[in-house]
Amino acid sequence: MNLEEKYFSNITSRERAIFEGAISMGALFHQFIGTPVSVNTAKDLELSISKSFQLQPAIESVNISINLKKLEEENTEFNYVSLSGEMLDVEITSKVADVKAIIKIEFIEELNYPLMYVKKIIE
Amino acid sequence: MNLEEKYFSNITSRERAIFEGAISMGALFHQFIGTPVSVNTAKDLELSISKSFQLQPAIESVNISINLKKLEEENTEFNYVSLSGEMLDVEITSKVADVKAIIKIEFIEELNYPLMYVKKIIE
Amino acid sequence: MNLEEKYFSNITSRERAIFEGAISMGALFHQFIGTPVSVNTAKDLELSISKSFQLQPAIESVNISINLKKLEEENTEFNYVSLSGEMLDVEITSKVADVKAIIKIEFIEELNYPLMYVKKIIE
Amino acid sequence: MNLEEKYFSNITSRERAIFEGAISMGALFHQFIGTPVSVNTAKDLELSISKSFQLQPAIESVNISINLKKLEEENTEFNYVSLSGEMLDVEITSKVADVKAIIKIEFIEELNYPLMYVKKIIE
């Protein structure tokens, strides 16, 4: 089967780069939100999230930084927290043909919301 | 803040419809995979998934059908299964300005993979 | 196979009621945290969570209440939130032979933590 | 607040060891099922899961092995799979006062089900 032709010929490479990056960003958020995390385990969790989502179609890199300041603000009696959208700062780079899309999530205080948007497209 | 202008002026309405639909599809999959489900609870779960993801930005409708035949094939001693990608058939319609995008996931036997793709764009 | 004899003969009915209820409570939390929810969809989500986890072994009932006041406090620009441990008030009743265990999760401000504990055992 | 006295004085140390281990096992399953994983990323994912759940109350160790043979059997066109219950072999050791409980999950073919049970209690 020619997968590209059958399923993706109705969109451009640029559109597909946006599509694949957006899927992985939505996926990453909803897979890992709730994971127990502390200052001591944050680096390992970042690495594991990054490696896991680089497996998905067209994903070239996943740069993730868990906000340790936010983590400490939300710290609990048991010295760990559930990973939340407020702590996530992620950039996913997808590549389709010659187009790269950088999809970003960051917490926007003004919206009280972890916003996902297209940071940049390189053609 | 003008959210649209600040974060989304670098992509077209068509691209943003694809973007928002793709986020919600990735999110839906990774939020609900693993949920206990049986033939008796499938309808309630479908309804709840649909209502939950209609809350996300630009999502107009979420049509979801859990494949009961697959569910029964994977049935366990305890008469329920963990929701898996093989059982999911979903169409998410996003709308941005005058553009609608229909994003689909369906399990493709030939790929042994629950493929997400853009089914249709209506401009 | 005699499942009970093979896997559960090393613990009492009381211990197994605690065991099964605790599994389902840990499961419920980590399955549904992150789900998009608003004041309008909370009831449907509660119902779906309840029905889903009643499927698990030995679970008799799942009473769940999403704290709408907390939900509104955390509300976002997009008029929904990600379900968090701070909003969850759940009681799961498990039953093994003649023993019922009621497992509870509630958010304890003093601990800044959604604590799970055994509320009551009825023998 | 004396947490132990207020919330846990109604159960024995043995019961609480079972309780805490069971919570973490249910949690682990439902947090990580669905995560993208390949033969190449399995070790990192195991480490991250182990470190994450050692943070929870009373958890002493988490030994996890992702079944690579099952992973390869379920492999997809895109050379990774969603982590499923069939691939999970985990032992969680909890400790409360002088009691250790070892909680296990393993996939039992005869039940077509990833069974959680108390493997051993050391008093």
Side-chain angles (χ1 to χ4, degrees):
Chain A
M1 170 167 55
N2 188 329
L3 185 73
E4 311 302 314
E5 199 178 300
K6 186 160 181 190
Y7 292 104
F8 296 105
S9 60
N10 59 341
I11 56 175
T12 65
S13 294
R14 179 180 154 113
E15 286 164 349
R16 192 165 170 214
I18 293 171
F19 180 72
E20 299 292 353
I23 286 171
S24 289
M25 188 61 92
L28 184 159
F29 184 97
H30 288 269
Q31 184 64 56
F32 284 101
I33 290 302
T35 303
V37 63
S38 75
V39 169
N40 295 326
T41 67
K43 277 287 155 233
D44 283 303
L45 184 57
E46 286 170 5
L47 181 72
S48 180
I49 293 176
S50 175
K51 290 208 173 183
S52 299
F53 281 96
Q54 279 179 61
L55 296 172
Q56 293 197 325
I59 304 305
E60 201 176 73
S61 66
V62 179
N63 290 307
I64 170 168
S65 167
I66 295 171
N67 187 325
L68 298 183
K69 209 180 134 210
K70 281 270 178 63
L71 194 157
E72 283 179 338
E73 280 168 24
E74 299 186 20
N75 204 18
T76 69
E77 180 74 13
F78 296 98
N79 231 2
Y80 78 95
V81 303
S82 286
L83 185 68
S84 73
E86 287 170 352
M87 297 170 206
L88 274 185
D89 198 318
V90 186
E91 287 188 18
I92 293 179
T93 303
S94 56
K95 184 168 186 237
V96 173
D98 289 337
V99 185
K100 285 190 191 191
I102 302 173
I103 310 299
K104 189 167 171 63
I105 184 172
E106 67 177 307
F107 190 75
I108 311 289
E109 296 287 350
E110 207 177 337
L111 309 172
N112 194 34
Y113 189 81
L115 190 71
M116 300 181 189
Y117 60 95
V118 179
K119 187 184 173 190
K120 200 176 179 178
I121 295 180
I122 305 159
E123 289 175 284
Chain B
M1 170 168 53
N2 189 330
L3 184 74
E4 310 302 314
E5 200 178 299
K6 185 159 182 192
Y7 292 105
F8 296 105
S9 59
N10 59 342
I11 56 173
T12 66
S13 295
R14 179 180 154 113
E15 286 165 349
R16 192 167 170 213
I18 292 171
F19 179 71
E20 299 291 353
I23 286 171
S24 290
M25 188 61 92
L28 184 158
F29 185 95
H30 288 270
Q31 183 65 56
F32 283 101
I33 290 301
T35 304
V37 63
S38 75
V39 169
N40 294 326
T41 67
K43 277 286 155 231
D44 283 303
L45 184 57
E46 287 170 4
L47 182 72
S48 180
I49 293 175
S50 175
K51 290 207 172 182
S52 298
F53 281 95
Q54 279 179 60
L55 296 171
Q56 293 197 326
I59 305 305
E60 201 175 71
S61 66
V62 179
N63 290 307
I64 170 169
S65 166
I66 295 171
N67 187 325
L68 299 182
K69 211 181 134 209
K70 281 271 178 63
L71 194 158
E72 283 180 336
E73 280 169 25
E74 298 186 20
N75 204 18
T76 68
E77 181 74 12
F78 296 98
N79 230 4
Y80 77 95
V81 303
S82 286
L83 186 67
S84 73
E86 287 171 349
M87 297 169 207
L88 274 186
D89 198 318
V90 186
E91 286 187 19
I92 293 179
T93 303
S94 56
K95 186 168 185 237
V96 173
D98 289 337
V99 184
K100 285 190 191 191
I102 302 173
I103 310 299
K104 189 166 172 63
I105 185 173
E106 67 178 307
F107 191 75
I108 312 289
E109 296 288 349
E110 208 177 337
L111 309 171
N112 193 35
Y113 189 80
L115 189 71
M116 301 182 189
Y117 60 95
V118 179
K119 188 183 172 190
K120 200 176 179 177
I121 295 180
I122 304 160
E123 288 176 283
Chain C
M1 171 167 55
N2 188 330
L3 184 74
E4 310 301 315
E5 201 179 299
K6 186 160 181 192
Y7 292 104
F8 296 104
S9 59
N10 59 342
I11 57 174
T12 65
S13 294
R14 178 179 154 114
E15 286 164 351
R16 193 167 170 213
I18 292 170
F19 179 71
E20 299 292 353
I23 287 171
S24 289
M25 188 61 91
L28 184 158
F29 185 95
H30 288 269
Q31 183 64 57
F32 283 100
I33 290 302
T35 304
V37 62
S38 75
V39 169
N40 295 326
T41 67
K43 278 287 154 230
D44 283 303
L45 184 57
E46 287 170 4
L47 181 73
S48 179
I49 292 176
S50 175
K51 290 207 172 184
S52 298
F53 282 94
Q54 279 179 59
L55 296 171
Q56 292 197 326
I59 304 305
E60 202 176 73
S61 65
V62 178
N63 290 307
I64 170 168
S65 166
I66 295 170
N67 188 325
L68 298 183
K69 211 181 132 209
K70 280 271 178 62
L71 194 157
E72 283 179 338
E73 280 168 25
E74 299 185 20
N75 203 19
T76 68
E77 180 74 11
F78 296 98
N79 230 4
Y80 77 95
V81 303
S82 286
L83 185 68
S84 74
E86 288 171 349
M87 297 169 207
L88 273 186
D89 197 317
V90 186
E91 287 187 19
I92 293 179
T93 303
S94 56
K95 186 168 184 237
V96 174
D98 289 337
V99 185
K100 285 190 192 191
I102 302 173
I103 311 300
K104 190 167 171 62
I105 185 171
E106 66 177 308
F107 190 76
I108 311 289
E109 296 287 350
E110 208 177 336
L111 308 172
N112 193 34
Y113 189 78
L115 189 71
M116 301 182 190
Y117 61 95
V118 179
K119 188 184 173 190
K120 199 176 179 180
I121 296 181
I122 304 160
E123 288 175 283
Chain D
M1 170 168 53
N2 188 328
L3 184 74
E4 311 301 314
E5 200 178 300
K6 185 160 182 192
Y7 291 105
F8 296 105
S9 61
N10 60 341
I11 56 173
T12 65
S13 294
R14 179 179 153 113
E15 286 164 350
R16 193 167 169 212
I18 293 171
F19 179 72
E20 299 293 353
I23 286 171
S24 290
M25 189 60 91
L28 185 158
F29 185 96
H30 288 269
Q31 183 65 56
F32 283 100
I33 290 301
T35 304
V37 63
S38 75
V39 169
N40 294 327
T41 67
K43 277 288 155 230
D44 283 303
L45 184 56
E46 287 170 3
L47 181 73
S48 180
I49 293 176
S50 175
K51 291 207 172 183
S52 298
F53 281 96
Q54 278 179 62
L55 296 172
Q56 294 197 324
I59 303 305
E60 201 176 73
S61 66
V62 178
N63 290 306
I64 170 167
S65 166
I66 295 170
N67 187 324
L68 298 182
K69 210 182 134 208
K70 280 270 177 62
L71 193 158
E72 283 180 337
E73 281 169 25
E74 299 186 19
N75 204 17
T76 68
E77 181 73 12
F78 296 97
N79 231 4
Y80 77 95
V81 302
S82 286
L83 185 67
S84 74
E86 288 170 349
M87 297 169 206
L88 274 185
D89 198 317
V90 186
E91 287 187 18
I92 293 179
T93 302
S94 56
K95 185 168 185 237
V96 174
D98 289 337
V99 185
K100 284 190 192 190
I102 302 172
I103 310 299
K104 189 167 171 61
I105 185 171
E106 67 178 307
F107 191 76
I108 312 289
E109 296 287 350
E110 208 176 335
L111 309 172
N112 193 35
Y113 189 80
L115 190 70
M116 300 182 190
Y117 61 94
V118 179
K119 188 184 173 189
K120 200 175 178 180
I121 295 180
I122 304 159
E123 288 175 284

